Each structure stands twice: as structure tokens, then as C-alpha cells.
Amino acid sequence: MPTMRLVIARCSVDYAGRLTAHLPSAPRLILVKADGSVSIHADDRAYKPLNWMSPPCTLKEGKDAEEGVWTVVNKAGEKLIITMEEVLHDSSHELGVDPGLIKDGVEAHLQELLADRIETLGEGYTLIRREYPTAIGPVDILCRDSQGATVAVEIKRRGEIDGVEQLTRYLELLNRDPHLAPVRGVFAAQEIKPQARVLATDRGIGCTVLDYDALRGIEDDKLRLF
């Protein structure tokens, strides 16, 4: 089973690639994930790393004269060089298979309701499918607008910057598929924070505020056999 490695060390970090960057010596958390990614974290930036190398990449730990020097190289030949001065903690852990995110009940119901009434997004919209799979997780809804263009919809109960970032990553992958491209995004939520709306607009992503009660009312008014 691949493991996750956590190292806390006083270290300096140098990045060499399309540009160069240097992090002077300081205590930091180095996270080596089972997927091969390496990220460097400080204690003042929440989840965002100071620097990182995305997979696929290789990690080589120096020996002899280069002991304490880690060299991380990605497929483009870019390097992240970590020079250890003092290792305070070094442990590895098997996390196993993650069950994935379980959506908030309201959020999951919003997805179901919107997929059932996809024309809420605009006249002429048609559903392709819910939970459209990508390499980094499923897109909530994939549909087509009245012109036949592909639209990816990310649904949140509360729309914040993280949700826009998530949709941005989905769009980057979906637009690599010639059968779907060009794909534009719609960020849909019951409430969209101003910062999230600004970021979405800057990235060409549309924003839609969903009225949960109104969608539920639409559902309740539908004819049923039993």
C-alpha cells in the first residue's frame, strides 16, 4: 500500500524551472503523498503550500556529500531542491483508499433537482449526465446549452472561492477532450460570496443563485403515479 510521508524539518527550498524561486531556511512541513506529489507548507497559509511539485515526479534523497538534499524532478525536467538542516520529525502512514466526499444533504438534493429541471439554467438546456467522471473527481452536472455547447456545473450550498477553484480544475481537464471542448463553467449555489463571484467572473465562469425552496416546490408540483 503506498504511504504518505510527513517530514518536519528546518530547510531551505529552491525551485528551478520556467523561473526560479528560493525559500530561505525555516522550519517547515514537507508532505510526500502516495500519488508522488511533494509540497512544502508553512504554519500561516492554511492548506496552501509555499511550493510544490505535482505528479508524476521522482524524489531522490542525496547520500554521502549530498546527504540531506532532496531533489524532486517532474516530467518537464523542473526541479525542487530541498536542503535539510535539521529533521525534527519523519513518519510514514498508510491511509488506505479514501471513501470520497459525502455531500451535504441539501447540496446533493440541489444536484438532483437541478438535473431534473436543467432548463432552470436557461431555455434549451439539456442534461448529458450527473456526476460526470474526470481524473480528479466527478463534475456535478454536465449539460449542453441551447447552442449545443458543453457546460460543466459545480453545485454548492454556499459558494466560496474553493468551489470556483474546483470548477476551474474540472474545466481544464474537460477542455482537453475534443468531443466536449469548448466547455464553459457555471458555478451554482444558494449563496455566492462576493470574492467567489469576482474570481468566477475573472475566469469566464458564470454564476447562478439557486432557490432551494423554489426547486423543491417545482418538484412537489410534478404529477406522480403514486
Side-chain angles (χ1 to χ4, degrees):
M1 178 72 67
T3 60
M4 175 180 287
R5 185 176 179 185
L6 307 173
V7 178
I8 298 175
R10 178 174 291 278
C11 63
S12 60
V13 184
D14 292 278
Y15 168 78
R18 290 166 292 180
L19 47 80
T20 59
H22 175 71
L23 292 172
S25 176
R28 297 188 176 94
L29 167 66
I30 304 165
L31 182 62
V32 184
K33 295 179 67 176
D35 64 4
S37 64
V38 179
S39 55
I40 317 295
H41 297 262
D43 196 26
D44 63 347
R45 302 201 177 200
Y47 63 91
K48 291 187 177 181
L50 297 166
N51 213 328
W52 68 93
M53 194 69 80
S54 300
C57 57
T58 58
L59 167 60
K60 179 181 178 182
E61 297 185 43
K63 297 180 180 180
D64 301 326
E66 293 188 348
E67 186 176 0
V69 177
W70 289 13
T71 303
V72 187
V73 184
N74 66 11
K75 63 180 181 179
E78 299 169 315
K79 293 183 179 181
L80 196 63
I81 301 170
I82 307 167
T83 303
M84 308 285 191
E85 298 172 14
E86 180 184 9
V87 176
L88 305 173
H89 175 86
D90 189 345
S91 64
S92 296
H93 308 270
E94 293 182 3
L95 300 186
V97 178
D98 192 271
L101 177 68
I102 299 175
K103 291 181 179 289
D104 174 274
V106 172
E107 190 174 301
H109 199 202
L110 277 171
Q111 183 193 117
E112 180 184 344
L113 289 169
L114 187 58
D116 193 42
R117 294 287 185 175
I118 198 66
E119 65 273 11
T120 302
L121 295 176
E123 186 177 352
Y125 272 67
T126 56
L127 179 69
I128 296 176
R129 67 167 289 178
R130 291 171 54 195
E131 300 287 333
Y132 187 89
T134 76
I136 58 173
V139 177
D140 286 336
I141 290 178
L142 197 69
C143 58
R144 296 192 186 279
D145 64 17
S146 60
Q147 305 301 313
T150 311
V151 181
V153 185
E154 181 63 24
I155 300 171
K156 299 292 184 187
R157 185 167 60 87
R158 180 180 293 106
E160 299 182 347
I161 285 177
D162 288 353
V164 178
E165 295 282 9
Q166 183 180 358
L167 180 54
T168 300
R169 293 191 292 270
Y170 288 146
L171 290 171
E172 182 180 351
L173 286 176
L174 292 169
N175 274 298
R176 297 177 190 175
D177 186 339
H179 298 293
L180 297 175
V183 185
R184 64 181 179 87
V186 171
F187 189 48
Q190 287 180 276
E191 173 192 2
I192 300 177
K193 297 293 186 179
Q195 300 93 330
R197 187 180 292 275
V198 170
L199 181 60
T201 301
D202 183 67
R203 295 183 177 180
I205 294 172
C207 292
T208 297
V209 175
L210 299 175
D211 187 328
Y212 182 53
D213 291 333
L215 285 172
R216 289 179 65 192
I218 291 173
E219 181 192 51
D220 292 342
D221 288 339
K222 290 172 60 181
L223 295 176
R224 301 182 183 277
L225 294 177
F226 52 88

